[in-house]
Amino acid sequence: MSNNSLFIPVILGTPRQGRQSEYVAKFLVEQISQRADVETELIDIRTIAIATDDAGEAIKDPQFSATMERADGLIIVVPEYNHGYPGLLKHVLDTCLKEYIHKAVGLCGVSAGPFGGTRVIQNLLPVMRELGLITIFYDLNFSNVQTLFDASGNLIDQPTYIRRMTRFMEELIWMSTVLRYGRQRVNLSQQS
């Protein structure tokens, strides 16, 4: 990767067994990996060893924190559970703060129903803002996820989702590039 390449990891936001969103996250990583201008990796919150008897930066995972610090942007793949997001995703995200400031985030909703995680994305928007992340204006939605992938985890209707993902990625790359430029070159003054 060149110095101009962006690092945009994909966070798989649920630890549940049998999660259909894992197929979505792997599809995104596969597609992003084909781009010469972006480096990515899959972060599965299931594999982050995190305490549940405390919260915030007190339980920060050093590897997750370092990855968030390095990231130019993020993609969060989040299933909709009863109109909300998984509690463990919120718990993990809350362990970092300064690592997110002025970085772009693209949200990818996944649901077994017809709305493709629209409600979970709506619920995450204020959380993203509070964490200091800048949401892009285009979301990815995977509706009726149980019918989108074959038994091997391959997306059945790739052309449709590749078109959607291309639009999503173009916006995320643009926003990540602009925000990285700003973080590196524009000083925030502490004026009152």
Side-chain angles (χ1 to χ4, degrees):
M1 293 276 127
S2 73
N3 287 341
N4 292 329
S5 295
L6 296 169
F7 176 52
I8 302 176
V10 175
I11 298 174
L12 175 53
T14 180
R16 286 192 184 178
Q17 299 296 319
R19 56 196 177 170
Q20 297 288 309
S21 53
E22 185 171 355
Y23 293 142
V24 174
K26 288 180 177 180
F27 168 73
L28 295 175
V29 168
E30 176 186 293
Q31 293 300 309
I32 296 165
S33 295
Q34 295 175 22
R35 297 188 66 113
D37 55 346
V38 179
E39 180 184 353
T40 193
E41 70 179 62
L42 178 61
I43 299 170
D44 185 343
I45 66 165
R46 180 190 285 174
T47 65
I48 299 173
I50 192 165
T52 57
D53 61 350
D54 206 346
E57 293 191 331
I59 58 169
K60 184 179 292 201
D61 177 78
Q63 183 176 349
F64 181 72
S65 174
T67 303
M68 294 302 99
E69 183 69 36
R70 181 176 163 231
D72 294 299
L74 303 170
I75 297 173
I76 301 176
V77 176
V78 59
E80 183 176 314
Y81 295 151
N82 299 318
H83 296 207
Y85 45 83
L88 186 59
L89 173 63
K90 177 74 164 69
H91 191 58
V92 169
L93 291 174
D94 283 350
T95 64
C96 294
L97 291 174
K98 67 179 178 13
E99 295 88 342
Y100 303 129
I101 303 298
H102 299 136
K103 293 184 180 178
V105 62
L107 300 175
C108 178
V110 180
S111 76
F115 300 115
T118 299
R119 294 173 293 215
V120 71
I121 290 172
Q122 289 173 339
N123 288 330
L124 273 175
L125 291 174
V127 174
M128 297 298 101
R129 182 176 181 191
E130 184 63 24
L131 292 174
L133 290 160
I134 312 299
T135 55
I136 65 172
F137 69 86
Y138 188 77
D139 305 319
L140 274 179
N141 303 90
F142 287 79
S143 304
N144 302 305
V145 69
Q146 68 280 6
T147 65
L148 296 179
F149 295 87
D150 65 20
S152 300
N154 299 309
L155 186 62
I156 295 168
D157 184 13
Q158 280 207 13
T160 296
Y161 283 93
I162 288 174
R163 277 192 308 276
R164 291 177 188 172
M165 186 181 165
T166 298
R167 183 174 172 199
F168 174 86
M169 283 305 298
E170 286 172 359
E171 175 65 17
L172 183 58
I173 288 168
W174 186 89
M175 186 73 79
S176 296
T177 302
V178 169
L179 290 169
R180 179 171 69 178
Y181 179 89
R183 288 191 311 276
Q184 292 173 346
R185 292 175 179 84
V186 179
N187 228 352
L188 282 175
S189 64
Q190 298 290 328
Q191 298 176 7
S192 52

